Amino acid sequence: MELRVIDKTDEELRLEIAGEDHTFMNVIKGALLETSGVAAATYDVNPEQSGGQTDPILSVKTEPGTDPLDALADASRRVQDLSTNFTSAFEAAL
């Protein structure tokens, strides 16, 4: 997975996430929307309709006082924790 910041302000972030698809993007978007201080989160897998860009672009808008990179880090940690908990529950069920 390669990340490239396209645009960053105090309250907005646009980030290209190379090699990912709807599965990952929906998970991270959902976690962002549950993160305190996040006003909006979305992604686009083909922002240039001409067919040029195919890697997803994640867009995050936060409320004043919340850094979008911090919000993304919090959301990522929650996804990681959820995955770890699922793996443990799955292994215990076997």
Side-chain angles (χ1 to χ4, degrees):
M1 175 184 304
E2 290 184 38
L3 307 177
R4 180 176 66 93
V5 174
I6 296 170
D7 188 36
K8 162 86 169 69
T9 67
D10 289 344
E11 297 169 2
E12 293 186 33
L13 172 67
R14 290 185 67 233
L15 182 73
E16 180 181 49
I17 305 178
E20 295 303 328
D21 59 15
H22 290 288
T23 304
F24 177 78
M25 298 306 295
N26 275 313
V27 170
I28 199 68
K29 178 188 81 168
L32 278 162
L33 291 172
E34 295 173 352
T35 301
S36 177
V38 172
T42 190
Y43 72 92
D44 192 347
V45 293
N46 194 10
E48 294 181 20
Q49 296 304 315
S50 63
Q53 173 68 41
T54 57
D55 285 323
I57 305 291
L58 178 68
S59 299
V60 181
K61 181 167 176 47
T62 58
E63 297 168 356
T66 301
D67 185 288
L69 287 174
D70 291 341
L72 181 56
D74 290 346
S76 297
R77 279 189 287 278
R78 277 202 323 285
V79 169
Q80 185 176 16
D81 291 345
L82 182 61
S83 297
T84 299
N85 291 342
F86 177 81
T87 300
S88 295
F90 179 76
E91 289 172 350
L94 294 179

